[in-house]
Amino acid sequence: DTAVSQTPKYLVTQMGNDKSIKCEQNLGHDTMYWYKQDSKKFLKIMFSYNNKELIINETVPNRFSPKSPDKAHLNLHINSLELGDSAVYFCASSASYQETQYFGPGTRLLVL
Amino acid sequence: AQSVTQLGSHVSVSEGALVLLRCNYSSSVPPYLFWYVQYPNQGLQLLLKYTSAATLVKGINGFEAEFKKSETSFHLTKPSAHMSDAAEYFCAVRGFQKLVFGTGTRLLVSP
């Protein structure tokens, strides 16, 4: 039973398109995150949500809009995709911000 | 602000040899430190974590790490490398509502 799942696993799209990535966790956690891993494997936090409320927005362009319909889901919508958005996006969750984070398998986004 | 530095973007060992992956941290408060492993085309898996209890932390797959405050280090070791250990390893420190990751070290294991 997958703890943190993401869909889709791969996403290939054209510049200028709008796309969404979905994340679900079945761990009963209160806190969820989005991280971006660039082509050099560097991982950086994008957003952090606690009980459906945005806690961190780490200087991410406003083309990126997270949405948390409930505590188990945190989706990421990206408008007007750019070449530089190509990366692997990881969702993670934790019981609270103090607890261990568990990561999903990642969504590999390629913008052409 | 918290940060971690991983020394060496690539480490090569022979199967059966000692694995040593280096991580140094900077933190204004007592740190919580983590090692994650990422196998090719997969997500991140927690190897072990330090949360201010024992300074020698044992993790999965035979890995362990020792927290040394005097050296601000949290190096990852494994006595005997296995081919299946080939992966990317990330050290991380807990910040406010996030993990701050190092740049990663790719471990290459040769037969």
Side-chain angles (χ1 to χ4, degrees), chain A residues 85-101:
Chain A
D85 298 332
S86 296
V88 183
Y89 293 85
F90 286 103
C91 177
S93 74
S94 61
S96 72
Y97 80 90
Q98 296 167 311
E99 299 298 326
T100 300
Q101 294 184 24

Side-chain angles (χ1 to χ4, degrees), chain B residues 3-5 23-27 29 31 33 67-74 91 93:
Chain B
S3 67
V4 290
T5 301
C23 174
N24 287 89
Y25 70 89
S26 174
S27 178
V29 298
L33 295 159
F67 174 74
K68 291 187 177 180
K69 185 178 178 180
S70 60
E71 298 177 8
T72 61
S73 68
F74 189 57
C91 181
V93 62

Side-chain angles (χ1 to χ4, degrees), chain A residues 9 31 33 35 37 41-43 45 48 50 55-56 58 90 97-98 100-101 103-105 108, chain B residues 32 34 36 38 40-44 46 49 88 90 94-99 101-103 106:
Chain A
K9 189 170 182 179
T31 308
Y33 314 81
Y35 287 86
Q37 185 176 45
K41 301 283 188 180
F42 184 61
L43 276 153
I45 185 75
S48 165
N50 190 42
I55 303 298
I56 283 183
E58 197 84 351
F90 286 103
Y97 80 90
Q98 296 167 311
T100 300
Q101 294 184 24
F103 284 77
R108 285 146 186 83
Chain B
Y32 280 26
F34 305 81
Y36 282 85
Q38 184 179 24
N41 295 317
Q42 294 189 29
L44 280 80
L46 180 68
K49 61 182 178 182
E88 193 89 22
F90 293 93
R94 197 186 72 197
F96 175 69
Q97 287 276 8
K98 64 183 178 183
L99 288 175
F101 285 90
T103 49
R106 174 157 292 182

